[in-house]
């Protein structure tokens, strides 16, 4: 059983220990130490990383503030520092996954990556405050907590309004700025039963409690800052409905600053493009959306009118044969597949015809249709074209649409004309 230094001293970033077991864990070199400050993934908080140095090499540097000294990885009995890549909790022991193997019995000096860990301590303590604020203000309990590398989330039992979220966020920040003490206490489960814990403890035996003075008391094995002021600030960056409750995404400390910076950059870019003030952005976007909708409607009207005009032109330039259906095969410039379809539909509604219209842009789009009673299977014609010229598409006997025909347009048109003429002359 590893003695966990972080239980009582979460600010310990360097420590001396001896390797009690050196082994291979799932293909990677690993070690157990008699004591460790490395935190293994647990309770929503990710693991610590860092280094193991040869003992004595880094041992004399003891005080906080001299971390850089040790971080320079002086040459020791290992040759150079060994990286602690991951830390895992396995059966009451803390397994350190290493970059290279260590020797059993060796004395080592461990050093945790403090930037990573302190960030975790800020997020984790911030989570206690935010969960407590939701609980105290709205009796809305936290059911789970997850700390990711970018964002942290808590899942709350019930739904919340944005106004309620803002109030809880404000309350958490008030406690941060009051710089309250965050104490660690150990109690038996019997003692715990008499205490007003925010959450029922999940384990028996001795419990570790985290107490934010006069605000929150909960059982937790994670690492926390010693006074709330060290969290800096807490911001809620998103909230969404989740499993009948609410998932709240938040950020503390440097992450809160980064969240603000990223919003600032996005807002500054949008404000420049739209020439409005940041607070006018939603209204400006709403206006643009309404304008776009109007324009689309107008465009559709014009397209319809133009399609009818284009259909008349194509009918006029075609030779009307001896009673058999008209065959019209054309490539049209600047029409999208919907436009081609509109024109073709107009033609077959006005004259007895089989029609294939292509886009001039390569790869070519195509629409094939015919008037009722004209013996052309549009989808079969399309199938034959795709087989010969590539592309894809589908449809029915009366109308088929395709795209991606990748060949010389004259050749495609000649083949199409032949297929349609053969079918209509039956
Ligand atoms: Zn905690």
């Amino acid at each position: 059983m590893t003695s966990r230094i972080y239980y009582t001293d979460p600010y310990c970033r360097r420590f001396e220990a001896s390797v009690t077991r050196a082994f291979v864990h799932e293909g990677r070199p690993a070690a157990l130490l008699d004591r460790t400050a490395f935190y293994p993934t647990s309770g929503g908080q990710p693991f610590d990383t860092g280094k193991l140095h040869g003992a004595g090499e880094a041992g004399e540097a003891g005080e906080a503030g001299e971390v850089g000294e040790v971080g320079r990885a002086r040459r020791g009995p290992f040759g150079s520092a060994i990286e602690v890549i991951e830390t895992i909790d396995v059966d009451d022991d803390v397994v350190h996954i290493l970059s290279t193997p260590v020797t059993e019995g060796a004395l080592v000096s461990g050093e945790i990556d403090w930037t990573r860990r302190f960030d975790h301590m800020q997020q984790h303590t911030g989570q206690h405050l935010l969960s407590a604020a939701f609980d105290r203000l709205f009796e809305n309990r936290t059911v789970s907590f997850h700390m990711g590398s970018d964002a942290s989330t808590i899942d709350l039992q019930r739904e919340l309004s944005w106004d309620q979220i803002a109030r809880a966020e404000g309350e958490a920040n008030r406690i941060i700025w009051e710089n309250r003490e965050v104490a660690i206490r150990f109690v038996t489960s019997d003692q715990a039963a008499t205490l007003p814990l925010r959450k029922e403890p999940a384990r028996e035996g001795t419990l570790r409690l985290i107490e934010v003075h006069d605000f929150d008391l909960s059982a937790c094995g994670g690492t926390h800052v010693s006074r709330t002021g060290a969290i800096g600030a807490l911001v809620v960056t998103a909230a969404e409905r989740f499993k009948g409750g609410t998932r709240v995404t938040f950020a503390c400390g440097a992450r809160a600053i980064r969240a603000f910076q990223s919003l600032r950059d996005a807002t500054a870019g949008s404000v420049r493009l739209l020439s409005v003030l940041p607070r006018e952005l939603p209204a400006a976007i709403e206006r643009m959306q309404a304008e776009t909708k109007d324009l689309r409607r107008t465009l559709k009207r014009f397209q319809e009118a133009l399609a009818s005009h284009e259909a008349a032109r194509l009918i006029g330039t075609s030779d009307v044969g001896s009673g058999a259906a008209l065959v019209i095969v054309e490539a049209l410039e600047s029409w999208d597949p919907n436009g081609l379809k509109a024109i073709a539909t107009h033609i077959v509604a006005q004259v007895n015809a089989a029609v294939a219209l292509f886009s001039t842009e390569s790869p070519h789009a195509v629409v094939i249709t015919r008037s009722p009673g004209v013996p052309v299977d549009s989808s079969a014609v399309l199938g034959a074209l795709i087989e010969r010229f590539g592309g894809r598409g589908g449809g029915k006997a009366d109308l088929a649409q395709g795209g991606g025909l990748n060949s010389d347009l004259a050749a495609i048109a000649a083949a199409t004309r032949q297929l349609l003429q053969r079918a209509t002359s039956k």
Side-chain angles (χ1 to χ4, degrees):
M1 196 165 146
T2 317
S3 160
R4 299 171 196 238
I5 299 166
Y6 60 82
Y7 269 168
T8 48
D9 184 7
Y11 278 82
C12 170
R13 42 181 115 171
R14 254 175 294 135
F15 61 99
E16 304 278 299
S18 62
V19 178
T20 52
R21 223 187 117 205
F23 58 109
V24 174
H25 182 85
E26 290 172 359
R28 297 183 293 176
L32 297 185
L33 307 177
D34 60 342
R35 58 201 292 273
T36 190
F38 282 90
Y39 184 82
T41 300
S42 170
Q45 182 180 331
F47 58 84
D48 286 337
T49 58
K51 291 187 170 87
L52 292 185
H53 305 271
E57 294 304 302
E60 67 275 15
E63 299 311 309
E66 292 173 42
V67 182
E69 187 79 8
V70 185
R72 253 170 254 133
R74 294 186 233 162
R75 297 185 72 78
F78 306 150
S80 61
I82 290 173
E83 302 283 337
V84 177
I85 299 161
E86 194 181 335
T87 319
I88 314 167
D89 206 322
V90 183
D91 302 333
D92 275 337
D93 270 319
V94 177
V95 176
H96 304 75
I97 305 292
L98 308 173
S99 57
T100 46
V102 280
T103 322
E104 218 160 85
L107 293 178
V108 293
S109 164
E111 179 201 354
I112 63 174
D113 177 338
W114 185 248
T115 307
R116 177 180 164 92
R117 157 67 89 71
F118 186 66
D119 167 64
H120 292 170
M121 284 161 64
Q122 288 180 306
Q123 312 309 316
H124 197 147
T125 318
Q127 180 262 317
H128 281 238
L129 298 189
L130 190 59
S131 287
F134 280 121
D135 198 288
R136 291 167 72 102
L137 292 174
F138 311 112
E139 288 173 11
N140 202 341
R141 320 210 85 180
T142 297
V143 288
S144 76
F145 161 52
H146 174 77
M147 191 195 302
S149 49
D150 291 321
S152 305
T153 55
I154 52 173
D155 293 338
L156 293 149
Q157 229 168 17
R158 298 198 317 274
E159 287 186 18
L160 281 161
S161 68
W162 265 107
D163 179 59
Q164 289 178 316
I165 291 168
R167 279 175 62 197
E169 185 185 44
E171 181 71 350
N173 281 300
R174 180 176 73 85
I175 303 299
I176 290 171
W177 299 327
E178 285 181 10
N179 199 22
R180 296 198 190 182
E181 190 190 358
V182 181
I184 302 166
R185 284 165 59 183
F186 291 91
V187 295
T188 63
S189 38
D190 284 347
Q191 286 170 315
T194 67
L195 293 169
L197 296 185
R198 175 160 50 81
K199 197 174 114 185
E200 295 296 313
R203 48 189 289 172
E204 293 287 297
T206 304
L207 287 173
R208 180 171 178 267
L209 304 183
I210 300 301
E211 180 170 31
V212 178
H213 181 68
D214 216 11
F215 191 70
D216 185 46
L217 183 64
S218 42
C220 183
T223 57
H224 309 81
V225 295
S226 59
R227 297 196 81 91
T228 56
I231 299 166
L234 181 152
V235 290
V236 171
T237 54
E240 59 186 329
R241 284 204 195 124
F242 183 74
K243 288 184 180 169
T246 312
R247 170 163 286 183
V248 173
T249 308
F250 67 96
C252 299
R255 292 192 193 202
I257 302 293
R258 282 201 296 275
F260 165 76
Q261 287 167 336
S262 127
L263 276 179
R264 181 188 58 199
D265 292 348
T267 310
S270 312
V271 161
R272 254 200 314 278
L273 286 171
L274 298 176
S275 304
V276 295
L277 295 171
R279 64 182 155 77
E280 296 167 343
L281 271 177
I285 292 168
E286 216 167 19
R287 228 172 19 244
M288 275 174 53
Q289 282 177 331
E291 277 169 21
T292 309
K293 209 170 156 192
D294 278 354
L295 281 173
R296 272 214 199 98
R297 227 179 272 139
T298 308
L299 187 66
K300 204 176 166 206
R301 262 203 322 275
F302 278 123
Q303 228 176 13
E304 276 294 315
L306 202 57
S308 149
H309 187 79
E310 189 69 3
R313 184 183 73 79
L314 290 174
I315 294 168
T317 55
S318 305
D319 291 330
V320 179
S322 54
L326 206 57
V327 170
I328 295 176
V329 177
E330 288 282 345
L332 300 175
E333 221 176 312
S334 20
W335 285 92
D336 66 4
N338 281 334
L340 295 176
K341 185 178 161 190
I343 297 166
T345 310
H346 272 291
I347 295 174
V348 298
Q350 286 170 46
V351 292
N352 205 38
V355 181
L357 299 180
F358 296 90
S359 67
T360 50
E361 272 162 53
S362 176
H364 308 284
V366 61
V367 174
I368 302 167
T369 184
R370 45 85 170 149
S371 308
V374 173
V376 165
D377 183 342
S378 306
S379 111
V381 173
L382 177 63
L385 291 178
I386 287 172
E387 200 178 325
R388 220 172 126 183
F389 303 107
R392 71 213 161 282
K396 293 183 178 158
D398 61 339
L399 179 88
Q401 279 184 283
L405 278 77
N406 213 347
S407 185
D408 175 51
L409 194 53
I412 301 175
T416 310
R417 186 173 294 278
Q418 206 174 35
L419 286 166
L420 293 181
Q421 268 164 354
R422 198 183 299 155
T424 50
S425 61
K426 263 179 201 160

